[in-house]
Amino acid sequence: MLNGAMIETYAICEILKGFWHNGKDTRKLYFYRDSNKKEIDLILEKNMTLYPVEIKKTTLPDSNDCANFSILDGLKKPIGKGLSFA
């Protein structure tokens, strides 16, 4: 379990570094977790559209890894295509 958290932290740090080194605004990057412990590892906002990202430590990611993306449906913003990577 700790390995997964380390992979998530590493991936988020690399994404942040990429934004910083390219002069991009990181104030539009979010993490989501609700009171039911449903979470989305990263949400990128661009042009008022939200793009959810799920980070997993697995060799076989599947569509269930993105199940929490539906949480965003209740927001009043367009939802872009999500991304899950391992």
Side-chain angles (χ1 to χ4, degrees), residues 56-75:
K56 291 288 183 195
K57 180 189 169 236
T58 181
T59 56
L60 298 170
D62 64 35
S63 60
N64 291 331
D65 295 336
C66 301
N68 289 337
F69 290 0
S70 64
I71 293 167
L72 300 176
D73 293 340
L75 301 177

Side-chain angles (χ1 to χ4, degrees), residues 4 7-8 41 54-58 61 64-66 84-86:
I7 294 292
E8 286 179 14
D41 296 328
E54 182 65 27
I55 302 163
K56 291 288 183 195
K57 180 189 169 236
T58 181
N64 291 331
D65 295 336
C66 301
S84 175
F85 66 93

Side-chain angles (χ1 to χ4, degrees), residues 14-29 44-47:
E14 290 299 308
I15 291 167
L16 284 170
K17 283 182 2 187
F19 270 67
W20 292 327
H21 290 295
N22 289 290
K24 303 292 182 183
D25 186 5
T26 57
R27 292 177 291 173
K28 299 291 184 167
L29 301 177
L44 297 102
E45 183 178 359
K46 184 174 181 182
N47 299 326

